[in-house]
Amino acid sequence: MMEAAASPVPALPPPTHVAIIMDGNGRWAKARGLPRTAGHKRGAEAVRRAVETARELGVSYLTLYAFSAENWKRPAGEVTDLMGLLRLYLRNEVKALHKNGIRLRVIGDRSRLGDDIVALIEESEAKTAGNTALTLVLALSYGGRQEIVAAVRHLAGQVRAGAVDPDDIDETLFSANLFTADIPDPDLVIRTSGEQRISNFLLWQCAYSELVFLDVLWPDFDRADFEAAIRTFHGRDRRFGLTSG
Ligand code: FPP
């Protein structure tokens, strides 16, 4: 009898929301004697690959940690390079995203981004707003603690104005005040490069996410790595605080 070929990903539904901490661009470049910016450039290509793979695998939301609130502290030249890559990505990729039915969303503190980048973000979000194949969420100038503090400040203002009763503040209302208000929590969080930290990424939203740490450096992250992470996810026993069995 012929054996069925092993399918790359078990025939289980894909995680609805995959979030990725893209790490290791610098080390990828260093290992090749190249400047860090070369690593980021290859990282942007890995972004393109990951988005395509997520759509093909049937993932509904893909969140990518593209620039953290802490990344502003990197040397000015590197910040400029990263902003340049983001600008290029937004200018050149949105047409392809739109053609493939992908909706773009950006989360993070826009007040620190350049006016032209904010304009590109707004334009791209508006253009792709009606797409349903995949939602690509780019976390830009994003920090989980900052997001929580902003939500608290907003709710406190509403309490002061008499619009919200403190007794009505619950997890649902709190979540509705985060950047991710209408986005489901991630089922799977992947971090590349072997580091095993959350680094201020989606702190509230990761409460019950499965965490998968891969040894691959971000510029090398490919479809096989994405599928391997999903297989690991499927092998986990998600309990949400309940007992096993
Ligand atoms: C980590 O590498 C990566 C980042 C600083 C952010 C990710 C940025 C990209 C993938 C490039 C452009 C993104 C888009 C969306 C076009 P690192 O520099 O921290 O690596 P290291 O830890 O090895 O130094």
Side-chain angles (χ1 to χ4, degrees), residues 51 89-90 92-106 110 120-138:
V51 171
Y89 185 84
L90 291 167
N92 300 338
E93 293 296 315
V94 170
K95 223 183 264 169
L97 294 181
H98 192 45
K99 205 173 117 210
N100 287 303
I102 299 168
R103 172 168 71 143
L104 179 74
R105 284 280 308 273
V106 173
R110 294 186 189 193
L120 278 169
I121 290 170
E122 287 172 355
E123 209 177 288
S124 309
E125 285 183 326
K127 185 182 168 98
T128 62
N131 294 337
T132 55
L134 166 71
T135 298
L136 169 63
V137 183
L138 286 185

Side-chain angles (χ1 to χ4, degrees), residues 22-27 36 40 43-44 47 65-66 71 74 78 82 85-86 89 138 218:
M22 308 183 287
D23 194 12
N25 294 349
R27 275 161 284 171
R36 292 177 64 79
H40 294 318
V47 165
Y65 205 5
N71 284 156
R74 290 197 176 192
E78 186 172 350
L82 281 165
L85 277 173
L86 286 167
Y89 185 84
L138 286 185
W218 176 252

Side-chain angles (χ1 to χ4, degrees), residues 21-30 36 39-48 64-68 71 74 78 81-90 93 136 138-140 191-193 195 197 217-219:
I21 302 173
M22 308 183 287
D23 194 12
N25 294 349
R27 275 161 284 171
W28 183 94
K30 194 172 176 197
R36 292 177 64 79
H40 294 318
K41 223 167 147 188
R42 287 295 283 260
E45 287 167 30
V47 165
R48 214 166 290 138
L64 300 177
Y65 205 5
F67 194 89
S68 73
N71 284 156
R74 290 197 176 192
E78 186 172 350
D81 285 343
L82 281 165
M83 288 299 142
L85 277 173
L86 286 167
R87 207 175 265 118
L88 269 183
Y89 185 84
L90 291 167
E93 293 296 315
L136 169 63
L138 286 185
L140 288 185
R191 182 173 188 146
T192 59
S193 92
E195 307 288 347
R197 288 188 292 278
L217 300 174
W218 176 252

Side-chain angles (χ1 to χ4, degrees), residues 9 13-21 57 59 61-64 184-191 198 201-202 205-214 221 225-236 238 240:
V9 171
T16 301
H17 184 173
V18 178
I20 308 184
I21 302 173
L57 296 178
V59 168
Y61 295 83
L62 175 69
T63 299
L64 300 177
D185 289 343
D187 303 286
L188 166 63
V189 175
I190 301 170
R191 182 173 188 146
I198 287 294
F201 187 46
L202 300 175
Q205 299 87 339
C206 279
Y208 291 103
S209 305
E210 292 297 330
L211 310 179
V212 172
F213 300 103
L214 300 177
F221 182 86
D225 298 312
F226 207 145
E227 289 179 348
I230 291 182
R231 268 197 300 274
T232 302
F233 168 80
H234 282 313
R236 300 267 176 93
R238 297 191 82 197
F240 300 97

Side-chain angles (χ1 to χ4, degrees), residues 66 68 77 86 89 98 103 141 148 154 174 180 189 199 206 220 222:
S68 73
L86 286 167
Y89 185 84
H98 192 45
R103 172 168 71 143
S141 187
I148 289 169
H154 183 248
F174 193 78
T180 49
V189 175
S199 299
C206 279
D220 291 327
D222 62 11

